[in-house]
Amino acid sequence: MIYTAHPSRPTADDAAPHFTYADYCESADVLASRTQDFCPEALLILGSGLGFLGDRVEEAIFVDYGSIPHFRPSTAPGHKGRFVFGTLRGKRVAVMQGRMHCYEGYTMEQAAYAVRVVRLLGAKTLFVTNAAGCVNTDWSAGELMLINDHIKLFDFGPLYGPNLEEFGTRFPDMTTVYTPRLQSIARETAKAQNIPLREGVYMYFPGPQFETPAEVRAARILGADAVGMSTVPETIAAAHCGMEVMGVTLLANMAAGVLPQPLSGAEVNAAAEASAPVFSEFILSCLESL
Ligand code: HPA
C-alpha cells in the first residue's frame, strides 16, 4: 500500500489548502446574520467539564458549528459542537461548547479557525480553559493553574502557510501571549475568592495518547508544569490577531509516571466534574472584572 498523508494535514510540499481571509469573513458574515450582528467582547473556549457555562448564557442564541461555512464538527466526547452567543455576568460573550483538537485529525489552522472568526465579530479577549496532566510534583491533582507561558515543540503552528496580514504580522511576538493585565485580574480574583491558584507553563502534546513517563520527565526538564493536548493553537492565533488571552488549566491528574498507576479519560472527566463549581465561578468572576 502506498502511504498517503491524512487529507486534512499539511505536508512538507503543502498539498492542503489554507484558509483565506475571505473564508473567515464568510463564516463571520453568516454568524452576524444569525445573531442580529451580535458583537461579543470575549470568546470563551471551555475545556472538559466547563461546557455547561454555555447553558448559563442569558438571551442565548445557539449556532451549531455544522451550519457555519468552513467549520468542522467537534468530535471529542462531551463537546457539544456549537456556539452560544449572549451575556454572562453582564459581558457580551461567544462561548464555544466544544473545541477542535488536532488529535481529531485537524490541522492547527483548523483547530484555531473559530478564534479568527470571532475576532472578526469584534471580540478582543480570549478566555481559554483546559484539563491537563500535572508535571510539577510539588502540586496536586485538582488544583487550578494560571498559564503564564507555553511550550509547543511539535507540529506546524496555526500560522503555518501564507500570512493573512489582515489579522497580523508574519512573525508575531510571543513574549506576552498570556496577557499580564489578565493574569493580574486572575490573581486578584483567586485571592478574593480564596481559591488556591498555581501559575506555570503549559506544554502542548498532540495526543490523543497520554504522554509516556519519559516524555513527562523531558517536559519537566524543559520547564513545563503541565502537559495537555489543546489551547496552544487557539492562543497563538488569538495573539497573532491582537487579542488578549487568559488561559487556565485544571490539573486533572498527575502526569504519567508521577504516580504508580495508569491514566484514564475517566479520571480526567471525574476531576473536571469535581472542579466545575469552583472553576466556573472563578472564570465568571474574572470575566466580570474585565
Ligand atoms: N496529558 C495530556 N492531556 C491531558 C492529561 C494528561 O495527563 N490530563 C488531561 N488532559
mmCIF file with all atom_site columns, all heavy atoms in Angstrom, residues 131-133 210-211 227-229 253 263 268, ligand 1:
data_model
loop_
_atom_site.group_PDB
_atom_site.id
_atom_site.type_symbol
_atom_site.label_atom_id
_atom_site.label_alt_id
_atom_site.label_comp_id
_atom_site.label_asym_id
_atom_site.label_entity_id
_atom_site.label_seq_id
_atom_site.pdbx_PDB_ins_code
_atom_site.Cartn_x
_atom_site.Cartn_y
_atom_site.Cartn_z
_atom_site.occupancy
_atom_site.B_iso_or_equiv
_atom_site.pdbx_formal_charge
_atom_site.auth_seq_id
_atom_site.auth_comp_id
_atom_site.auth_asym_id
_atom_site.auth_atom_id
_atom_site.pdbx_PDB_model_num
ATOM   1  N N   . ALA A 1 131 ? -8.176  20.853 30.634 1.00 0.00 ? 131 ALA A N   1
ATOM   2  C CA  . ALA A 1 131 ? -7.732  19.909 31.664 1.00 0.00 ? 131 ALA A CA  1
ATOM   3  C C   . ALA A 1 131 ? -6.379  19.399 31.201 1.00 0.00 ? 131 ALA A C   1
ATOM   4  O O   . ALA A 1 131 ? -6.159  19.217 30.001 1.00 0.00 ? 131 ALA A O   1
ATOM   5  C CB  . ALA A 1 131 ? -8.716  18.757 31.784 1.00 0.00 ? 131 ALA A CB  1
ATOM   6  N N   . ALA A 1 132 ? -5.461  19.196 32.129 1.00 0.00 ? 132 ALA A N   1
ATOM   7  C CA  . ALA A 1 132 ? -4.113  18.771 31.743 1.00 0.00 ? 132 ALA A CA  1
ATOM   8  C C   . ALA A 1 132 ? -3.521  17.889 32.825 1.00 0.00 ? 132 ALA A C   1
ATOM   9  O O   . ALA A 1 132 ? -4.061  17.774 33.934 1.00 0.00 ? 132 ALA A O   1
ATOM   10 C CB  . ALA A 1 132 ? -3.234  20.004 31.524 1.00 0.00 ? 132 ALA A CB  1
ATOM   11 N N   . GLY A 1 133 ? -2.398  17.271 32.489 1.00 0.00 ? 133 GLY A N   1
ATOM   12 C CA  . GLY A 1 133 ? -1.674  16.466 33.459 1.00 0.00 ? 133 GLY A CA  1
ATOM   13 C C   . GLY A 1 133 ? -0.695  17.349 34.223 1.00 0.00 ? 133 GLY A C   1
ATOM   14 O O   . GLY A 1 133 ? -0.051  18.227 33.642 1.00 0.00 ? 133 GLY A O   1
ATOM   15 N N   . PHE A 1 210 ? -1.942  9.625  25.964 1.00 0.00 ? 210 PHE A N   1
ATOM   16 C CA  . PHE A 1 210 ? -1.280  10.375 27.026 1.00 0.00 ? 210 PHE A CA  1
ATOM   17 C C   . PHE A 1 210 ? 0.232   10.246 26.826 1.00 0.00 ? 210 PHE A C   1
ATOM   18 O O   . PHE A 1 210 ? 0.707   9.370  26.113 1.00 0.00 ? 210 PHE A O   1
ATOM   19 C CB  . PHE A 1 210 ? -1.690  9.831  28.399 1.00 0.00 ? 210 PHE A CB  1
ATOM   20 C CG  . PHE A 1 210 ? -3.116  10.150 28.768 1.00 0.00 ? 210 PHE A CG  1
ATOM   21 C CD1 . PHE A 1 210 ? -4.062  9.141  28.904 1.00 0.00 ? 210 PHE A CD1 1
ATOM   22 C CD2 . PHE A 1 210 ? -3.520  11.460 28.989 1.00 0.00 ? 210 PHE A CD2 1
ATOM   23 C CE1 . PHE A 1 210 ? -5.377  9.432  29.251 1.00 0.00 ? 210 PHE A CE1 1
ATOM   24 C CE2 . PHE A 1 210 ? -4.833  11.767 29.330 1.00 0.00 ? 210 PHE A CE2 1
ATOM   25 C CZ  . PHE A 1 210 ? -5.759  10.749 29.458 1.00 0.00 ? 210 PHE A CZ  1
ATOM   26 N N   . GLU A 1 211 ? 0.977   11.113 27.480 1.00 0.00 ? 211 GLU A N   1
ATOM   27 C CA  . GLU A 1 211 ? 2.430   11.105 27.353 1.00 0.00 ? 211 GLU A CA  1
ATOM   28 C C   . GLU A 1 211 ? 3.004   9.863  28.037 1.00 0.00 ? 211 GLU A C   1
ATOM   29 O O   . GLU A 1 211 ? 2.389   9.276  28.929 1.00 0.00 ? 211 GLU A O   1
ATOM   30 C CB  . GLU A 1 211 ? 3.022   12.358 28.019 1.00 0.00 ? 211 GLU A CB  1
ATOM   31 C CG  . GLU A 1 211 ? 2.529   13.658 27.428 1.00 0.00 ? 211 GLU A CG  1
ATOM   32 C CD  . GLU A 1 211 ? 1.086   13.978 27.777 1.00 0.00 ? 211 GLU A CD  1
ATOM   33 O OE1 . GLU A 1 211 ? 0.629   13.574 28.861 1.00 0.00 ? 211 GLU A OE1 1
ATOM   34 O OE2 . GLU A 1 211 ? 0.397   14.602 26.950 1.00 0.00 ? 211 GLU A OE2 1
ATOM   35 N N   . VAL A 1 227 ? 1.036   19.265 31.175 1.00 0.00 ? 227 VAL A N   1
ATOM   36 C CA  . VAL A 1 227 ? 1.044   18.787 29.785 1.00 0.00 ? 227 VAL A CA  1
ATOM   37 C C   . VAL A 1 227 ? -0.387  18.580 29.329 1.00 0.00 ? 227 VAL A C   1
ATOM   38 O O   . VAL A 1 227 ? -1.198  18.014 30.061 1.00 0.00 ? 227 VAL A O   1
ATOM   39 C CB  . VAL A 1 227 ? 1.840   17.468 29.615 1.00 0.00 ? 227 VAL A CB  1
ATOM   40 C CG1 . VAL A 1 227 ? 3.331   17.725 29.659 1.00 0.00 ? 227 VAL A CG1 1
ATOM   41 C CG2 . VAL A 1 227 ? 1.460   16.426 30.668 1.00 0.00 ? 227 VAL A CG2 1
ATOM   42 N N   . GLY A 1 228 ? -0.683  19.027 28.101 1.00 0.00 ? 228 GLY A N   1
ATOM   43 C CA  . GLY A 1 228 ? -2.041  18.882 27.592 1.00 0.00 ? 228 GLY A CA  1
ATOM   44 C C   . GLY A 1 228 ? -2.089  18.939 26.079 1.00 0.00 ? 228 GLY A C   1
ATOM   45 O O   . GLY A 1 228 ? -1.073  19.182 25.416 1.00 0.00 ? 228 GLY A O   1
ATOM   46 N N   . MET A 1 229 ? -3.301  18.702 25.545 1.00 0.00 ? 229 MET A N   1
ATOM   47 C CA  . MET A 1 229 ? -3.459  18.487 24.101 1.00 0.00 ? 229 MET A CA  1
ATOM   48 C C   . MET A 1 229 ? -4.287  19.576 23.416 1.00 0.00 ? 229 MET A C   1
ATOM   49 O O   . MET A 1 229 ? -4.853  19.337 22.355 1.00 0.00 ? 229 MET A O   1
ATOM   50 C CB  . MET A 1 229 ? -4.147  17.136 23.871 1.00 0.00 ? 229 MET A CB  1
ATOM   51 C CG  . MET A 1 229 ? -3.501  15.963 24.573 1.00 0.00 ? 229 MET A CG  1
ATOM   52 S SD  . MET A 1 229 ? -4.527  14.485 24.375 1.00 0.00 ? 229 MET A SD  1
ATOM   53 C CE  . MET A 1 229 ? -3.822  13.413 25.638 1.00 0.00 ? 229 MET A CE  1
ATOM   54 N N   . ASN A 1 253 ? -5.017  15.426 36.664 1.00 0.00 ? 253 ASN A N   1
ATOM   55 C CA  . ASN A 1 253 ? -4.358  14.204 37.143 1.00 0.00 ? 253 ASN A CA  1
ATOM   56 C C   . ASN A 1 253 ? -2.865  14.480 37.229 1.00 0.00 ? 253 ASN A C   1
ATOM   57 O O   . ASN A 1 253 ? -2.374  15.396 36.570 1.00 0.00 ? 253 ASN A O   1
ATOM   58 C CB  . ASN A 1 253 ? -4.602  13.059 36.137 1.00 0.00 ? 253 ASN A CB  1
ATOM   59 C CG  . ASN A 1 253 ? -4.216  13.458 34.715 1.00 0.00 ? 253 ASN A CG  1
ATOM   60 O OD1 . ASN A 1 253 ? -4.991  14.136 34.028 1.00 0.00 ? 253 ASN A OD1 1
ATOM   61 N ND2 . ASN A 1 253 ? -3.028  13.083 34.287 1.00 0.00 ? 253 ASN A ND2 1
ATOM   62 N N   . LEU A 1 263 ? -3.082  6.249  33.558 1.00 0.00 ? 263 LEU A N   1
ATOM   63 C CA  . LEU A 1 263 ? -4.006  7.384  33.414 1.00 0.00 ? 263 LEU A CA  1
ATOM   64 C C   . LEU A 1 263 ? -5.224  6.921  32.620 1.00 0.00 ? 263 LEU A C   1
ATOM   65 O O   . LEU A 1 263 ? -5.136  6.002  31.816 1.00 0.00 ? 263 LEU A O   1
ATOM   66 C CB  . LEU A 1 263 ? -3.354  8.528  32.639 1.00 0.00 ? 263 LEU A CB  1
ATOM   67 C CG  . LEU A 1 263 ? -1.987  9.014  33.093 1.00 0.00 ? 263 LEU A CG  1
ATOM   68 C CD1 . LEU A 1 263 ? -1.618  10.262 32.311 1.00 0.00 ? 263 LEU A CD1 1
ATOM   69 C CD2 . LEU A 1 263 ? -1.962  9.286  34.571 1.00 0.00 ? 263 LEU A CD2 1
ATOM   70 N N   . VAL A 1 268 ? -9.838  11.886 34.214 1.00 0.00 ? 268 VAL A N   1
ATOM   71 C CA  . VAL A 1 268 ? -9.841  13.296 33.809 1.00 0.00 ? 268 VAL A CA  1
ATOM   72 C C   . VAL A 1 268 ? -11.259 13.863 33.918 1.00 0.00 ? 268 VAL A C   1
ATOM   73 O O   . VAL A 1 268 ? -11.474 14.949 34.470 1.00 0.00 ? 268 VAL A O   1
ATOM   74 C CB  . VAL A 1 268 ? -9.305  13.446 32.365 1.00 0.00 ? 268 VAL A CB  1
ATOM   75 C CG1 . VAL A 1 268 ? -9.485  14.868 31.866 1.00 0.00 ? 268 VAL A CG1 1
ATOM   76 C CG2 . VAL A 1 268 ? -7.843  13.018 32.302 1.00 0.00 ? 268 VAL A CG2 1
HETATM 77 N N1  . HPA B 2 .   ? -1.809  14.645 29.452 1.00 0.00 ? 1   HPA B N1  1
HETATM 78 C C1  . HPA B 2 .   ? -2.333  15.298 28.395 1.00 0.00 ? 1   HPA B C1  1
HETATM 79 N N2  . HPA B 2 .   ? -3.551  15.794 28.368 1.00 0.00 ? 1   HPA B N2  1
HETATM 80 C C2  . HPA B 2 .   ? -4.298  15.650 29.474 1.00 0.00 ? 1   HPA B C2  1
HETATM 81 C C3  . HPA B 2 .   ? -3.826  14.982 30.615 1.00 0.00 ? 1   HPA B C3  1
HETATM 82 C C4  . HPA B 2 .   ? -2.502  14.454 30.601 1.00 0.00 ? 1   HPA B C4  1
HETATM 83 O O1  . HPA B 2 .   ? -2.012  13.850 31.568 1.00 0.00 ? 1   HPA B O1  1
HETATM 84 N N3  . HPA B 2 .   ? -4.831  15.022 31.533 1.00 0.00 ? 1   HPA B N3  1
HETATM 85 C C5  . HPA B 2 .   ? -5.855  15.688 30.966 1.00 0.00 ? 1   HPA B C5  1
HETATM 86 N N4  . HPA B 2 .   ? -5.545  16.079 29.723 1.00 0.00 ? 1   HPA B N4  1
#
